[in-house]
Amino acid sequence: DIKFQNEEFDSPDIPPPYGLGGWTIGDKRVLVYDRFDVWEVDPAGVVAPKNLTDGAGRRTGTTFRVVNLDREDRFLDPAQPVLLRAVDTLTKASGFYRDRFGVDAAPEKIVMADRNFGAPQKARDAEQFLFTQSTFREFPDLWTGTTLAAASKISNANPQDTQYPRGSVELVSWVNSDGVPLRGLLYKPENFDPNRQWPMVVYFY
């Protein structure tokens, strides 16, 4: 049973869809998202939906979403690889994978790391990529390279940042009173000493 609407929607209303990844040339196929994976759907309803990402997203708890690098052409060429942005829903690591139409195989990992990657751009006539990447302590500077896995930083947009304490952040897990596992972020000040008592503000939703 494929669910293209939000599985976790808990309001008394119609669950919204996860969205679309784009159309192929000639409107022959449309890429539709479920919670984790990308599906290749025939809009005419003749061919059954096919899981483009081979169910790897749901198996590993990774959310895949399509990245179209050609901003002048909205349509995806089924003869070309599909670039996917990936987010690990457990660790919150992010990165990019590569997949192909008509191939029964899991997506191929390009890069995954404990950081946030911005939407990449690609030069039209060269294998050169431009994107941002950042962490709680690192400003989202510009990075470039011939692959998304091997890039060099080319900007230092916030040099004054080194003059101020940044602290650290930790991903924590717990179970609420209803038995539901939850995850959150614990921000700790610079030079945090776990043997001391610290004031804490809790924000939840």
Side-chain angles (χ1 to χ4, degrees), residues 7 34-39 51-65 84-90 97 99 105-108 112:
E7 296 178 10
D34 71 10
R35 182 179 174 186
F36 297 102
D37 289 294
V38 182
W39 291 78
N51 195 317
L52 180 70
T53 47
D54 198 46
R58 191 169 292 273
R59 284 196 305 273
T60 62
T62 303
T63 301
F64 290 114
R65 296 298 182 252
L84 302 167
R85 174 172 165 78
V87 176
D88 187 312
T89 57
L90 186 64
Y97 279 66
D99 209 341
E108 173 192 356
M112 283 290 284

Side-chain angles (χ1 to χ4, degrees), residues 2 16 19 21 39 44 47 52 81 94 105 108-109 130 140 146 150 164 174 181 185-186 193 199 203:
I2 309 171
W39 291 78
V47 180
L52 180 70
S94 70
E108 173 192 356
K109 182 173 70 175
L130 180 70
T146 55
Y164 303 97
W174 71 96
L185 296 173
L186 177 61
D193 182 356
Y203 172 74

